Amino acid sequence: MYKELGISDEVVELVNKSEEKCLEEFKKIEEAEEFNTLKVLKAFKQNRVNESCFNSTTGYGYNDYGREVIEKVFRDVLGAEDALVRSQFISGSHALTVCLFALLRPNDLLLSISGKPYDTLDEVIGIKDNKSSLMSYGVKYDQIDLVNDDFDYDKIEEYLKNNKVKVIEIQRSKGYSTRRSIDLSKVGKVIKLIKSIDSDVIVMVDNCYCEFVSEAEPLSVGADVIVGSLIKNLGGGIAPNGAYIAGRHDLVDLCGERLTLPGEGREVGPTLGINKSILQGIYMAPSVVASALKTAILTAKVLEDLGYEVEPKYNEDRVDIVQNIIFRDPNKLVEFTRGIQMGSAIDSDAIVEAWDMPGYDDKVVMASGSFTQGSSIELSCDGPMREPYIAYMQGALTYPYGKLGLMSAVQRILKNGGE
Ligand SMILES: *Cc1c(COP(=O)(O)O)cnc(C)c1O
């Protein structure tokens, strides 16, 4: 059967051999999976999720009982005062945009302390010119880069003593950068410093790809508001779209006013039949994230055993579900990505090519053989066509599908990469 999928005995043997060395790491993942499952079940029980939550509204979407319960479940799972969970968010980037526009006013200062934010925010902020950017409304922006993959604590301290900052943005996951993702202890340490200098600063955390990877979320270490996508971790591969914003009640309310319209805010927003999918998604999410993490660990081990640089290594603590393979070779990046596409259940006959994706600077290669368009909690792999040609691989709804996708990708680099 492997042969019918184009996977050779050599690759099966290679992957199985590397897998044996991952079992101890898998056990740690299962501990977090169980803990996060507990959190979800507790939130379902406390908020009395029942069958009527699956009902739906249309039109304005007033009095959508299920939507209100969903927001309470997310609130409790994330340790928040309040949460906004809506399918009217097109993506994680859209939720980040709504949050920034909700919190900032003309002349306010936005400061990123994890270097340049995620690529899609370039035009939102105005780092790249856009007539509708925050800067076009008179919002000011500045950034402090990371040093050695940690915050520049001294520079942040000095900056806050000399400037009145309204919002600080922290992005935990690496995005398309070469840095490491930022763990919660560092996030907690820097927030403590920030609040000791200016307790009014709003700390907003881009939590994309990080939910349920460990047992805690950023609100527990002092973040004011966190944002993430439902076609990533918390959607569990089942939510068809949407995103969440969670945190301080007053801030979440402002986001509701901005998402819809001032005066109606969170009272409106039809759910159009997706409540059950969102609930089922967060119900599955602890296990789906665990599958993605196991796939990432196996990928790291296999590629490392083949002599490639990987980040993180198979036995390093993980902050997000993203696995980097540093190919230093454009052909290998493309071939590996093609292999992931070929090893997917949907669109397995598509041949991946680099293209100019809206919102991104370089050409991007992207494998996404997913049920939900662009879903990156499903097995997916992408990367910008620039030095050092890094594959950003993530997802897999189940570990066996992840393992098969990896085998397919490894087959491609053994056969075609760089030749
Ligand atoms: C995925 C991601 C986003 C949002 O991406 P969308 O594709 O718009 O959902 C934002 N920040 C980070 C770090 C991400 O990984």
Side-chain angles (χ1 to χ4, degrees), residues 91-94 96 118 120 171 173 175 206 208-209 229 232 360:
S91 60
S93 302
H94 182 214
L96 287 161
Y118 195 66
T120 53
Q171 181 189 312
S173 189
D206 176 349
C208 281
Y209 281 143
S229 166
K232 293 183 178 174
Y360 295 85

Side-chain angles (χ1 to χ4, degrees), residues 262-418:
E264 295 188 22
R266 306 172 60 185
E267 300 300 315
V268 293
T271 52
L272 308 171
I274 70 162
N275 284 350
K276 185 177 164 195
S277 302
I278 292 184
L279 284 164
Q280 214 168 359
I282 193 163
Y283 177 83
M284 296 300 294
S287 294
V288 171
V289 171
S291 299
L293 288 169
K294 285 179 183 172
T295 302
I297 288 167
L298 180 66
T299 302
K301 188 66 188 139
V302 168
L303 275 290
E304 208 179 319
D305 288 348
L306 283 171
Y308 294 96
E309 266 172 85
V310 297
E311 199 282 308
K313 293 200 169 40
Y314 84 103
N315 57 357
E316 282 178 317
D317 283 342
R318 281 170 192 267
V319 173
D320 57 24
I321 63 169
V322 182
Q323 180 61 48
N324 283 9
I325 307 132
I326 300 125
F327 281 116
R328 301 193 186 282
D329 176 341
N331 285 331
K332 286 226 161 112
L333 170 59
V334 172
E335 287 303 327
F336 186 85
T337 308
R338 282 186 177 155
I340 293 288
Q341 184 75 40
M342 289 170 173
S344 301
I346 313 295
D347 293 331
S348 61
D349 56 350
I351 306 293
V352 169
E353 302 281 356
W355 70 301
D356 289 305
M357 190 171 162
Y360 295 85
D361 280 345
D362 296 277
K363 283 195 173 196
V364 175
V365 272
M366 192 164 273
S368 181
S370 54
F371 288 87
T372 296
Q373 188 186 95
S375 167
S376 46
I377 186 63
E378 299 183 49
L379 182 65
S380 50
C381 180
D382 42 67
M385 293 300 288
R386 66 178 177 232
E387 293 278 357
Y389 299 102
I390 302 175
Y392 295 78
M393 188 187 134
Q394 59 275 315
L397 296 184
T398 75
Y399 173 67
Y401 285 123
K403 185 176 166 185
L404 280 172
L406 171 66
M407 284 177 172
S408 164
V410 168
Q411 190 74 58
R412 291 293 298 187
I413 51 169
L414 290 186
K415 239 172 53 189
N416 293 309

Side-chain angles (χ1 to χ4, degrees), residues 119 171 173-180 324 386 390 392:
D119 295 38
Q171 181 189 312
S173 189
K174 63 183 70 113
Y176 278 154
S177 76
T178 52
R179 68 160 168 95
R180 284 166 177 273
N324 283 9
R386 66 178 177 232
I390 302 175
Y392 295 78

Side-chain angles (χ1 to χ4, degrees), residues 39-103:
K39 272 199 280 192
V40 172
L41 185 60
K42 191 165 147 242
F44 270 60
K45 281 168 69 80
Q46 274 176 350
N47 293 297
R48 303 172 72 168
V49 176
N50 59 38
E51 208 175 343
S52 65
C53 298
F54 306 155
N55 291 339
S56 171
T57 54
T58 55
Y60 297 129
Y62 288 123
N63 303 315
D64 193 308
Y65 175 67
R67 186 187 71 212
E68 286 165 15
V69 172
I70 285 168
E71 293 187 332
K72 286 177 186 161
V73 168
F74 273 70
R75 173 196 71 190
D76 292 349
V77 165
L78 293 167
E81 269 177 32
D82 204 348
L84 183 65
V85 184
R86 300 294 169 108
S87 68
Q88 281 79 21
F89 290 124
I90 299 308
S91 60
S93 302
H94 182 214
L96 287 161
T97 302
V98 167
C99 191
L100 290 169
F101 274 90
L103 303 181

